[in-house]
Amino acid sequence: MREILGRRRRLRFRRTERTGQLRTALTCAVAWQWPVVPGVGLAAAGSRGDRGRGCACPDPECVVPGAHPLDPGLLAATTDERMVRWWWTERPDAPVVLATGGRAPCAVSLPAVAGARALRVLDGWGMRLGPVVATPTRLALLVAPYGMEQLGELLYAKDSVPSSLRFHGEGGYLVLPPSVGGAGQVRWERAPLEGSARPWLPDVEAVVDALVEASASAPGGGSRLAY
């Protein structure tokens, strides 16, 4: 009996390992040592009545449906291979949530349309960027880990920073491809190199400096990074 149960478990692992979420989670946790945790995901079709597929969490007004941790919470994020395999074997479609900060990347995000413009400007300047995560509504540029004190000093030194920027630092999180949340499919706008070592990440100061300059360079004095 034990042999049969063991064989069934191995088959489940093999089937689940083919899912994009588990591949991403294992790459982040094991190869890159970035702690991850499963997101809560979306409610089953029809379970929210006329409201469609909302968040599977208890909050009917959840502002980030499906795209946040719940049980386990963010503090459970880990690089342990066995735990990662168990989580996504039990819930193969669960979003992959990266716990930002510490040894893991942080991120700077902005609205999708403004982000696409900003990437074109930064590419034109020849700036080297790391991986970029895209949802239908926002783009997130992964940056090297930073502390809140470093971020505070950086922002204090600026005359102005576009209000559309969001910062995902220590204690924050970011949902990674190929997860699906209430905003839609998460994808790589700039993917890490396949089979590479831990991805290279730019410094947050370089990225923020470039985004602020790109914003200030809009024709007519407007901002390229506005909603």
Side-chain angles (χ1 to χ4, degrees), residues 93-189:
D93 295 326
V96 179
V97 176
L98 169 70
T100 54
R103 293 176 297 174
C106 294
V108 179
S109 71
L110 62 164
V113 173
R117 294 189 190 122
L119 288 183
R120 287 195 294 271
V121 173
L122 302 190
D123 286 344
W125 293 344
M127 182 175 178
R128 183 185 180 190
L129 294 174
V132 178
V133 175
T135 73
T137 57
R138 294 190 74 82
L139 255 63
L141 286 66
L142 270 59
V143 298
Y146 59 77
M148 294 307 296
E149 183 177 352
Q150 178 188 358
L151 179 64
E153 291 175 353
L154 170 62
L155 298 182
Y156 181 77
K158 301 293 181 190
D159 292 332
S160 64
V161 175
S163 60
S164 58
L165 295 183
R166 294 179 189 166
F167 299 92
H168 309 257
E170 186 74 35
Y173 64 87
L174 190 69
V175 178
L176 298 180
S179 307
V180 177
Q185 181 71 51
V186 183
R187 61 180 177 82
W188 291 111
E189 179 70 22

